[in-house]
Amino acid sequence: MTAEANPPARQGTWVRVLVRGVVLAVVLLGLVVFSVLLAKVTLTPSPASEDLVTSNLRPGRSLRQYAEDYTFLAACKQAGGNLLLGVPFGLLLPFFVPRRLRMIRTTLLTAVAMAVVELIQGALVQGRAFDIDDVILNTAGALLGYFVLGRRISHRYYTYTDAPASSGQRDEPEPTPKPKRTPTKAAAKTGTGTKAANKKAGAKKATGTKTAAKKTTASKAPRPLLDRLRRR
């Protein structure tokens, strides 16, 4: 890395650290404000409804009651309010939850938090009771917030803060070419021996061919003494 590339790399690192700190501070502040509002909405006593509210441990019972006994606007207000109450969980929790299984962890954290709130309502707050349907609606609202906006903004946040600075990225050294293998002494000797054997075999074949040719020439040569005896 050259000396000119160092300042931009450090500057990019400090910018990412600063952005991460600012975003986390804003999200944490949002969680604090939301927690205060949640406590004010859910943990405020309601003496007027003390005789009307009962605990519900059967999923769907309160929703059926909203559909049968409430007017349309009152049912939408009751169910919609519980949905909206869970949306901030889906927007803020992904910034603090690890990237692996983020949706599942966000859902579980929302369900646990709202179940604790409902238990506190039923045990300590006058005029309020535990309702499993409220927990279900709050969790559904958290999933809605996560899929609509929370997943996108948290993904962009992690992509920006975890990405390496292009200016400060070190150039990877080019791979050095592997040296060509030179034949070993044993292989050279083997090759030399093979060539010598081939030469000897060729020489033997040439010698045998010449000997056969001489024998053939000698057999074909005229015999003058025998011819003279035959003539006599």
Side-chain angles (χ1 to χ4, degrees):
M1 185 189 299
T2 59
E4 297 179 357
N6 278 328
R10 294 178 180 177
Q11 184 178 1
T13 303
W14 281 109
V15 168
R16 290 196 304 274
V17 172
L18 180 61
V19 170
R20 176 177 293 186
V22 171
V23 171
L24 291 180
V26 172
V27 173
L28 185 60
L29 180 61
L31 277 177
V32 172
V33 174
F34 170 67
S35 299
V36 173
L37 294 177
L38 179 65
K40 185 176 181 180
V41 171
T42 58
L43 302 180
T44 302
S46 179
S49 57
E50 185 174 2
D51 297 333
L52 301 176
V53 175
T54 57
S55 299
N56 174 33
L57 300 178
R58 295 173 57 185
R61 179 182 175 183
S62 296
L63 296 177
R64 194 180 305 111
Q65 185 179 4
Y66 297 156
E68 294 176 355
D69 300 339
Y70 285 53
T71 63
F72 178 76
L73 292 178
C76 290
K77 182 179 179 181
Q78 189 70 24
N82 285 317
L83 277 174
L84 292 177
L85 202 60
V87 170
F89 285 106
L91 297 178
L92 302 176
L93 284 181
F95 289 92
F96 298 99
V97 176
R99 302 181 67 177
R100 186 179 181 184
L101 302 176
R102 183 181 300 162
M103 183 191 70
I104 296 176
R105 293 181 180 183
T106 301
T107 304
L108 291 177
L109 286 175
T110 303
V112 171
M114 297 313 300
V116 171
V117 171
E118 290 292 327
L119 287 173
I120 295 174
Q121 279 185 343
L124 302 177
V125 182
Q126 182 182 9
R128 297 184 181 274
F130 179 87
D131 194 339
I132 190 64
D133 285 338
D134 289 348
V135 178
I136 294 173
L137 289 173
N138 297 147
T139 307
L143 285 175
L144 181 64
Y146 176 78
F147 282 113
V148 171
L149 191 59
R151 180 178 59 176
R152 297 179 182 178
I153 58 178
S154 62
H155 177 71
R156 291 183 179 180
Y157 164 75
Y158 282 108
T159 301
Y160 176 75
T161 56
D162 294 344
S166 58
S167 59
Q169 190 176 6
R170 293 188 176 183
D171 298 332
E172 296 182 358
E174 297 182 357
T176 55
K178 295 182 179 180
K180 296 182 179 180
R181 294 183 178 179
T182 56
T184 58
K185 293 182 179 180
K189 289 181 179 179
T190 303
T192 306
T194 305
K195 292 180 179 180
N198 292 336
K199 288 182 178 180
K200 288 181 179 180
K204 287 182 179 179
K205 288 181 181 180
T207 306
T209 306
K210 290 180 179 180
T211 305
K214 287 181 180 180
K215 289 181 180 180
T216 305
T217 306
S219 61
K220 291 182 178 181
R223 299 178 180 179
L225 182 59
L226 292 176
D227 291 340
R228 290 178 183 177
L229 292 174
R230 287 177 183 175
R231 288 177 183 176
R232 289 181 181 178

